[in-house]
Amino acid sequence: MKTKNPVIIFVFSLLLSVLSFLIVANTVCLVSCYFSCKKVLPDNYQVLRIVFYGFSETSDGSTVSANISILDRAGQEVVKIERSWPDDFLAADFSCAEFGENTYFFPEKIYGTNSVFSRRNIFSKKEGTYLVPYYLENRKCLLGCTPDEKRNLFKIASFGLNPFSLLLPGLSKLYTINLSGCRPGVFYGIFAENGILSLRPE
């Protein structure tokens, strides 16, 4: 009779423990979100404001400069980001958490790209500006307007922004908004309305 390799047994046990921990942690987070979403109305507001300054050619290639504002649910500015990105145009990724008829959108990344991806891979990396740290801090989501709303939105965002939540396609999705059609000098808004995102001039 063959003796089992102790290294294989250890690795298998470790992987099983990690998987069990992830399942339990995500289940706890999911249950917490269900309670939180009953206290927060679904998204129906302008999430981002964007104005492009222009495009330029450098020795390293094309760049596009813009001013991006993240807004809270009352339309107040949370943060303004002004900079240039490499490439011909920009795209914006949003993570989405869905619970029943309630849909919540969280801006995730602004990046320059020549091809807009419609879905995210857990291990994929995109060069750009990661937006989450600008509105998630101290266990609060600054997209909310009241202290209670900020705490509950933080719980929902923690689930929606978790890469492993994409394994539950009925509860989490990634949306990409193509900004290539935006004209310089015009203020555009990305609006969350009735469970969808739309881009249009303000």
Side-chain angles (χ1 to χ4, degrees):
M1 177 183 260
K2 276 188 176 181
T3 58
K4 295 182 179 178
N5 189 324
V7 175
I8 294 176
I9 294 174
F10 173 77
V11 171
F12 180 77
S13 299
L14 182 62
L15 289 175
L16 192 60
S17 298
V18 170
L19 181 61
S20 299
F21 172 78
L22 289 173
I23 290 172
V24 170
N26 280 282
T27 301
V28 170
C29 182
L30 187 58
V31 171
S32 176
C33 285
Y34 271 111
F35 287 107
S36 293
C37 73
K38 294 179 180 180
K39 302 174 184 177
V40 181
L41 292 174
D43 285 350
N44 196 20
Y45 74 105
Q46 182 177 351
V47 185
L48 292 183
R49 174 179 292 122
I50 303 158
V51 58
F52 283 85
Y53 295 140
F55 307 87
S56 61
E57 292 289 336
T58 67
S59 57
D60 296 326
S62 300
T63 62
V64 54
S65 57
N67 184 314
I68 311 260
S69 295
I70 301 175
L71 308 179
D72 67 15
R73 293 160 67 90
Q76 301 300 309
E77 191 176 85
V78 174
V79 67
K80 182 184 291 184
I81 302 164
E82 190 175 61
R83 55 161 291 183
S84 296
W85 289 264
D87 230 316
D88 299 323
F89 64 86
L90 297 183
D93 280 353
F94 293 79
S95 288
C96 165
E98 298 180 357
F99 299 95
E101 296 181 355
N102 294 343
T103 305
Y104 306 89
F105 293 97
F106 302 98
E108 188 172 332
K109 181 171 281 192
I110 296 285
Y111 55 96
T113 179
N114 279 320
S115 58
V116 176
F117 296 87
S118 60
R119 65 177 60 211
R120 169 180 58 186
N121 182 295
I122 291 176
F123 305 104
S124 70
K125 295 289 183 184
K126 295 175 186 173
E127 296 298 327
T129 303
Y130 193 52
L131 302 176
V132 177
Y134 289 105
Y135 62 88
L136 284 191
E137 59 179 37
N138 300 322
R139 301 191 63 80
K140 293 179 183 177
C141 177
L142 301 182
L143 303 182
C145 299
T146 66
D148 193 48
E149 189 176 56
K150 290 176 182 178
R151 284 192 295 270
N152 284 297
L153 272 177
F154 178 85
K155 295 176 183 177
I156 298 170
S158 296
F159 172 78
L161 293 165
N162 184 343
F164 289 97
S165 68
L166 292 176
L167 301 175
L168 303 170
L171 298 174
S172 178
K173 295 178 183 177
L174 180 86
Y175 287 84
T176 297
I177 301 294
N178 182 346
L179 304 173
S180 62
C182 296
R183 290 178 286 120
V186 178
F187 283 89
Y188 290 86
I190 296 179
F191 297 85
E193 299 169 313
N194 302 317
I196 61 172
L197 285 175
S198 62
L199 171 70
R200 63 175 184 267
E202 289 187 343

